Structures are given as C-alpha cells and as structure tokens.
Amino acid sequence: MRDFSTDHRWLSINTATIRKSRGVEQPLPSIIEACAQRGIRAISPWRDQVAAAGLPVISKLVNDHGLELSGYCRGGMFPAVDAVGMKAARDDNRRAVDEACELNAACLVLVVGGLPGALAGKAAHKDIALSRHQVSDGIAELLEYAKAANMPLAIEPLHPMYAADRACINTLEQALDVCDALDPSRSGALGVAVDVYHVWWDPKLEAQIQRAGKDRLMAFHVCDWMTPTTDLLEDRGMMGDGVIDIPKIRGWVEAQGFAGYSEVEIFSTGNWWQRDSAEVLDTCIARHRSAV
Ligand code: ZN
C-alpha cells in the first residue's frame, strides 16, 4: 500500500468539495487555481461547473496547469418514462463522453438513476426492476459510443438510501454484475468507481473489490460517514472525522493493483461549504496524509 503520509501527489479534489466557500458558489476557474497553487495534481469536475465557465476555458486551464482528471462527473440518469426521455438521456450522455474526452478524463463516472421523476419529487412508477433493466440497456448503448471515443465508463454504486432518486445500482456486486454482462472480456472500457461513503458498510466489500480487480477499479472516492448524518446528500464528513476505516478499504483496492488518485468528494451544506475554501483544501491535504 502506498505511503500517503509525506506528500499529496495522489490526492485529487472532486470540485464539488469546494463548490462553495463561506456559502458562496465558487467558479470552477478559481477552484482550479486554488488546487494548482497547492500542488494538487488532479481534479474531478462537475459538468454544470464546466458548462458555467465554458468547456474551452476549462480545457485550457487544465492543460496550462498540467492537471489530470481522475474522473468526470457525471453521466447516467438512464431511466425514463418514454422514448423521448430515453433519447434525451442518451444524447446527454454522449455529450458527457465528448466533454470527458476534451478534458482528457480518466473515466466518465456514471450515477445511473433510479425511478424516473423521483429526483424531482414524484416518481412515475414503483418498478425498480424496470429501472434497473433500463440502466443496463442504457449503459450497453453508451458503452459502444464510449468505446469508439476511447473513454472508459465507471459505474458508481450509490448507498441504498439513494435507490429511488439517484441510483438503483446500490452495491459493488450489482455494479460488477452489469460490468460482467456488458463487458465480459474486461476490455478496460467499463468498470466501477468505489466511493467509500456508499460502500463502506457492505459485508461483501472486500470480496467484491477482489472480484473487480485492477481492470475494473477505475476511481476511488473518499470522505467520511458522520454519526449522526443529518442530511441524506449533503452531510458528508472530512476523512478522519467519521466511522469509515478508509485506509483499510484503500488497502483492499491497492492490493488489486489500483494505483490512481484518491479523490476527495465532500458535499457539506452545513459545515465544509460554510468554511473558507482555502481552509477546506488545506484540511483535505492534511487528512489525505493522516486519515486516507
Ligand atoms: Zn463518489
């Protein structure tokens, strides 16, 4: 297992982590500058942040600073109620692949979607099996496009509390079942993003990380699980402040040969997004060394 205690060369910042500074939305160019100033070598930006600044602007900034993208957030949201909705999802996902290519991302992260309409507050139906079927079909179709573009797709299983509104793939086992069905040859085009927040509780986690192997382990996301957790989405903790044994999970991932970035991804309306983003970044660097 790599020693992270003396530097932060394997730290990546998911740009949502400092999306807000003292509660105020931060433009992506200033987030990138703040990361580069600290010798952070990789980021994982969100599409809305890139769109707000303009893809060419961000592409140039990333190049000028020699930054890598540990991933691009995000594609997915495949389920829909009708053909129009399915086509909209397909077209949007293809654009996400194109953007990821332009930014030279390591992979496009997929948050696959749940029951259509649920994210907006009203699910169109209760058939989660149908959604899972649509997810599998959607990934299969996108995979062809992504392969042609040479952009790997990383399915991110989300904690079961998001099954209705964000992702009906909820365990690493489920994600790997889809990978095995759609990419049995382990071509490198399809894999998983392991986010400790979503999977730390899973009794099968170690075994499924072994099953994934190096070919399928495309991204590793860290933060911490707070007790109590006060918000389902935006109460993620800083590494070391909660109950996840992050070094243990990183050890499992690295035992399979994963040698990529450890990406900090914290959504925190009540705490970290209220602080100055400089303090948050400095804390990420310190905790990367001491708690990851
Ligand atoms: Zn994640």
Side-chain angles (χ1 to χ4, degrees), residues 14 73 109 156 158 193-195 198 221-222 236 263 265 267:
N14 185 296
C73 295
V109 173
E156 181 164 356
L158 261 54
V194 175
D195 184 327
H198 296 301
H221 300 173
V222 297
R236 291 177 172 224
E263 178 183 320
E265 185 182 34
F267 317 139

Side-chain angles (χ1 to χ4, degrees), residues 185-234:
S185 68
R186 291 178 165 263
S187 69
L190 184 61
V192 294
V194 175
D195 184 327
V196 298
Y197 190 74
H198 296 301
V199 300
W200 69 275
W201 56 273
D202 185 349
K204 293 184 178 176
L205 183 58
E206 183 180 10
Q208 293 299 318
I209 286 172
Q210 288 169 354
R211 173 188 171 195
K214 188 174 190 293
D215 302 336
R216 299 248 198 255
L217 293 169
M218 292 181 173
F220 183 63
H221 300 173
V222 297
C223 66
D224 218 331
W225 185 281
M226 304 305 292
T227 51
T229 287
T230 57
D231 184 280
L232 293 187
L233 186 65
E234 296 178 350

Side-chain angles (χ1 to χ4, degrees), residues 22-44:
R22 300 184 186 277
V24 179
E25 194 82 19
Q26 298 297 297
L28 187 53
S30 58
I31 291 173
I32 289 173
E33 297 288 353
C35 288
Q37 277 168 16
R38 286 168 176 77
I40 291 166
R41 303 193 306 151
I43 59 170
S44 181

Side-chain angles (χ1 to χ4, degrees), residues 4-228:
F4 282 180
S5 68
T6 55
D7 60 48
H8 57 282
R9 57 180 297 141
W10 294 111
L11 169 66
S12 172
I13 296 293
N14 185 296
T15 56
T17 304
I18 49 168
R19 169 184 285 279
K20 290 177 185 170
S21 180
R22 300 184 186 277
V24 179
E25 194 82 19
Q26 298 297 297
L28 187 53
S30 58
I31 291 173
I32 289 173
E33 297 288 353
C35 288
Q37 277 168 16
R38 286 168 176 77
I40 291 166
R41 303 193 306 151
I43 59 170
S44 181
W46 285 70
R47 290 185 73 199
D48 66 307
Q49 294 176 305
V50 171
L55 182 60
V57 171
I58 298 305
S59 179
K60 182 172 187 316
L61 264 180
V62 163
N63 281 324
D64 289 351
H65 287 297
L67 285 169
E68 291 189 59
L69 264 69
S70 55
Y72 189 49
C73 295
R74 57 177 164 59
M77 297 290 165
F78 295 102
V81 286
D82 55 26
V84 174
M86 305 280 262
K87 184 177 183 310
R90 188 192 71 181
D91 292 348
D92 191 52
N93 276 310
R94 291 183 174 194
R95 283 192 294 273
V97 168
D98 295 343
E99 292 165 24
C101 288
E102 170 66 27
L103 295 170
N104 204 18
C107 58
L108 175 66
V109 173
L110 299 181
V111 170
V112 298
L115 301 171
L119 194 57
K122 182 148 180 47
H125 61 72
K126 300 181 180 180
D127 191 348
I128 196 168
L130 172 64
S131 283
R132 286 176 172 147
H133 192 75
Q134 291 180 341
V135 163
S136 188
D137 287 352
I139 295 174
E141 186 172 42
L142 185 62
L143 185 59
E144 293 310 308
Y145 187 84
K147 270 183 180 169
N150 213 8
M151 177 49 59
L153 301 177
I155 303 169
E156 181 164 356
L158 261 54
H159 189 283
M161 67 182 169
Y162 303 113
D165 57 7
R166 285 191 162 74
C168 57
I169 289 183
N170 306 106
T171 61
L172 196 51
E173 182 173 36
Q174 245 186 308
L176 291 170
D177 286 348
V178 174
C179 290
D180 286 352
L182 302 183
D183 179 47
S185 68
R186 291 178 165 263
S187 69
L190 184 61
V192 294
V194 175
D195 184 327
V196 298
Y197 190 74
H198 296 301
V199 300
W200 69 275
W201 56 273
D202 185 349
K204 293 184 178 176
L205 183 58
E206 183 180 10
Q208 293 299 318
I209 286 172
Q210 288 169 354
R211 173 188 171 195
K214 188 174 190 293
D215 302 336
R216 299 248 198 255
L217 293 169
M218 292 181 173
F220 183 63
H221 300 173
V222 297
C223 66
D224 218 331
W225 185 281
M226 304 305 292
T227 51

